[in-house]
Amino acid sequence: MPAGTVENGDGSFTVPAYQPSDPHRPSSALDTFVRVRDGVGVNLGDATPSFAADVEHVEEFDHDNPAADGQTSPDNLNIKSRFFHLLKTFGTGWLDMQYRDGAGRLRTEFVTPEGLVVPGKPENLEVLFPGLRRVRFTPPRTRQTPAGGEDEGDPEKPGPRILHAPRRSMTRVAAKHARRRAERERNRRRGENGTSDIHARIRGLD
């Protein structure tokens, strides 16, 4: 625990989840927490030690509204080697999902570019380090928009009007993140219905 951290009434400790100047970057406490919890890279077959790998957001961080999607929180962060981190960031079709199962264990699930869902196992070090369950993190903040918004020019006011170039409804990165969120939501619904993607494809061939 950082020096001076006060114990809560239930025996837990609350520490910052992100850097004060950048809610996208985990605090040193959260960074260390995730590395100790995961131990190695979470991707299948990846044995990269956590302190030699990257801490990465599972669901993409929303820079416009940090409280909306991809929060900087322990259940939305995991360990990936630099190779798998870059593959997910710049590759096409690779997804991972992370969630707590009915027993409260953290699981990571993978989706290949072909749509095959690979169930993950709750393989982390929470059992070896039960003290991790006493650590709490502050929730992410919501980005504030200035009152009145940005002045784009009022056509009723005298003076020259400013013409702006056409803008995309969202950036390419935002569109990519939106597609990934939609795919994760479809996979969650399949999981709730007890139907995996590969089983649905097999039935479609009958």
Side-chain angles (χ1 to χ4, degrees):
M1 286 295 114
T5 303
V6 179
E7 185 175 352
N8 298 325
D10 61 357
S12 65
F13 296 85
T14 302
V15 293
Y18 49 82
Q19 300 284 346
S21 60
D22 185 0
H24 174 257
R25 295 183 58 193
S27 65
S28 58
L30 180 53
D31 182 278
T32 302
F33 177 95
V34 174
R35 294 181 190 278
V36 172
R37 181 197 68 195
D38 289 356
V40 297
V42 299
N43 286 77
L44 300 174
D46 184 10
T48 305
S50 60
F51 283 88
D54 297 341
V55 175
E56 194 246 3
H57 287 74
V58 177
E59 294 195 21
E60 292 73 17
F61 182 82
D62 188 333
H63 289 271
D64 292 324
N65 185 4
D69 291 295
Q71 299 179 3
T72 303
S73 63
D75 283 7
N76 191 49
L77 296 175
N78 62 26
I79 295 297
K80 290 185 177 69
S81 68
R82 181 60 53 86
F83 171 81
F84 283 112
H85 190 172
L86 294 176
L87 178 63
K88 177 186 171 184
T89 302
F90 299 106
T92 301
W94 286 97
L95 284 177
D96 59 339
M97 299 171 57
Q98 192 161 265
Y99 60 93
R100 295 278 174 181
D101 64 16
R105 298 171 299 183
L106 193 64
R107 290 178 177 269
T108 304
E109 193 170 83
F110 302 93
V111 183
T112 71
E114 296 77 22
L116 178 63
V117 179
V118 183
K121 296 180 179 180
E123 294 177 345
N124 58 51
L125 304 182
E126 285 184 335
V127 175
L128 295 180
F129 300 101
L132 294 175
R133 296 168 183 161
R134 299 176 59 196
V135 183
R136 305 287 184 270
F137 292 93
T138 55
R141 63 188 179 189
T142 303
R143 183 175 180 178
Q144 301 295 323
T145 302
E150 194 177 54
D151 186 5
E152 296 289 343
D154 188 340
E156 300 299 326
K157 292 181 180 179
R161 295 186 60 186
I162 301 174
L163 298 179
H164 297 282
R167 296 180 179 177
R168 294 175 179 271
S169 59
M170 62 175 64
T171 65
R172 289 187 176 89
V173 172
K176 180 179 180 180
H177 292 178
R179 289 194 300 271
R180 287 180 170 180
R181 286 194 293 271
E183 179 65 23
R184 288 192 181 95
E185 183 58 31
R186 285 194 293 271
N187 289 327
R188 288 192 185 98
R189 290 198 296 269
R190 290 190 193 104
E192 291 172 357
N193 296 331
T195 304
S196 68
D197 192 67
I198 188 63
H199 290 162
R201 290 190 176 200
I202 292 173
R203 282 204 299 271
L205 298 175
D206 293 341

